[in-house]
Amino acid sequence: MKRIAIQGERGSFHDIAARQYFKGEQTQLICCPTFDDVFAQIKRDPTVVGMVAIENTIAGSLLRNYELLRDSGSTVVGEHKLHIEHSICCLPDDSWDTLHEIHSHPVALMQCREFLSAHQELKAVEADDTAGAAETISRTRQHGWAAICHKDAARLYGMKVLQEQIEDNKHNFTRFLVVCNEHKADFLRSPDQTNKASLVFALPHAEGSLSKVLTILSFYDINLTKIQSLPIVGREWEYLFYVDVTYESLTRYRQSIDAITPLTSELKILGEYAGN
């Protein structure tokens, strides 16, 4: 049985992503209040696997999670892309006429701006988690409150779904990373079946330093799919570059890493895995 640490409650998007990624496998969920706690669980117990959101097509990258991943010593062994659909739900004996507040995670509220704008009589209230908002309303029997969450979470907590697909953009996806203790990685993925890698490195503050790295990656037929820069605290105008690359040849990918290493500092492979 795999023990999966997620940020949020049962029924959250992290829960749904974990169940889809590990479909058909026996899993035990470890619900954590924060992403820091997810990585702490992995550090405390090397057998724990984490499911961590890293970017959303609307909200962008979760920058704090890049830092947590780099500092944790964990490694990426997989990824999963989940279509995000939001519903509004309430207690079974509530209705549109009795509602006066809507609770959800701030990102979910942001992704439903048009819906909230059309219902300005309802006060939007931030919560720690989408499913957690539904669970709180259900457990405390808060009449007049609604939650924005996935319809599966609403049903899990015995809530009534008033309207589905209230998100502004119907092409809303979140990308999750599957992370684990670096010494357990080979139990979760085979190195020779990988085609994607996540890297982080620093560069000297010199003209053309990034261009040289990208040119070498291109020479080895390595495809750059994402680049995210974050400032290095305490070092003015110096940055860490978080890069995702895909490759067809594991050998050429490893040759490219050897080639760019002299041009970089603090280069670290965050994970090699099968992309989707």
Side-chain angles (χ1 to χ4, degrees):
M1 177 181 292
K2 288 187 174 65
R3 302 179 66 222
I4 315 297
I6 65 166
Q7 185 275 323
E9 302 291 335
R10 291 173 61 238
S12 66
F13 290 107
H14 278 83
D15 178 17
I16 295 168
R19 284 189 278 114
Q20 288 184 3
Y21 185 85
F22 293 104
K23 186 177 181 179
E25 299 187 49
Q26 285 190 322
T27 59
Q28 177 188 357
L29 208 61
I30 303 172
C31 296
C32 303
T34 67
F35 288 112
D36 296 71
D37 292 319
V38 171
F39 285 100
Q41 285 284 346
I42 298 171
K43 186 175 183 179
R44 188 178 304 117
D45 183 351
T47 66
V48 170
V49 179
M51 178 69 72
V52 178
I54 199 67
E55 63 177 320
N56 176 266
T57 52
I58 298 173
S61 298
L62 281 75
L63 302 182
R64 171 63 177 158
N65 286 355
Y66 279 102
E67 295 177 338
L68 286 172
L69 176 60
R70 177 176 178 269
D71 295 338
S72 68
S74 302
T75 190
V76 183
V77 292
E79 69 173 2
H80 185 71
K81 295 170 185 173
L82 179 67
H83 186 204
I84 303 299
E85 295 179 300
H86 294 300
S87 297
I88 181 168
C89 65
C90 61
L91 293 173
D93 49 352
D94 265 329
S95 66
W96 287 111
D97 296 332
T98 60
L99 297 181
H100 55 84
E101 288 187 12
I102 297 181
H103 293 244
S104 194
H105 190 278
V107 172
L109 294 174
M110 182 194 71
Q111 294 172 349
C112 300
R113 283 176 178 165
E114 292 179 11
F115 173 86
L116 294 173
S117 178
H119 294 83
Q120 295 187 20
E121 73 281 5
L122 302 178
K123 179 184 177 182
V125 180
E126 293 186 358
D128 292 335
D129 180 52
T130 54
E135 187 277 335
T136 297
I137 294 171
S138 176
R139 174 172 46 82
T140 60
R141 309 304 295 173
Q142 287 287 351
H143 290 279
W145 289 15
I148 291 177
C149 59
H150 193 275
K151 60 184 178 182
D152 288 356
R155 291 162 184 160
L156 178 65
Y157 295 112
M159 305 282 279
K160 177 171 66 177
V161 176
L162 291 174
Q163 186 175 334
E164 296 181 18
Q165 297 182 338
I166 64 171
E167 66 276 3
D168 298 346
N169 192 318
K170 306 309 176 186
H171 300 282
N172 183 8
F173 288 83
T174 293
R175 176 174 168 246
F176 296 83
L177 298 179
V178 184
V179 299
C180 71
N181 180 284
E182 59 182 345
H183 301 296
K184 302 293 182 180
D186 289 347
F187 293 100
L188 294 169
R189 61 98 174 95
S190 174
D192 59 1
Q193 293 180 347
T194 65
N195 63 359
K196 190 169 186 178
S198 295
L199 319 170
V200 59
F201 53 81
L203 291 171
H205 188 50
E207 184 176 345
S209 58
L210 178 59
S211 176
K212 292 175 183 177
V213 170
L214 299 182
T215 298
I216 291 174
L217 292 176
S218 176
F219 173 80
Y220 283 96
D221 299 322
I222 308 301
N223 182 39
L224 183 74
T225 60
K226 180 178 175 63
I227 183 168
Q228 177 76 53
S229 64
L230 290 178
I232 301 175
V233 178
R235 289 156 58 179
E236 293 81 2
W237 317 121
E238 292 189 46
Y239 298 87
L240 286 172
F241 293 90
Y242 292 83
V243 173
D244 289 340
V245 298
T246 59
Y247 49 87
E248 294 184 3
S249 168
L250 182 61
T251 298
R252 288 186 67 80
Y253 154 72
R254 289 180 172 167
Q255 289 172 339
S256 74
I257 296 299
D258 291 339
I260 67 172
T261 297
L263 302 178
T264 68
S265 62
E266 304 177 41
L267 186 146
K268 183 177 182 180
I269 298 174
L270 298 173
E272 297 164 351
Y273 48 99
N276 61 22

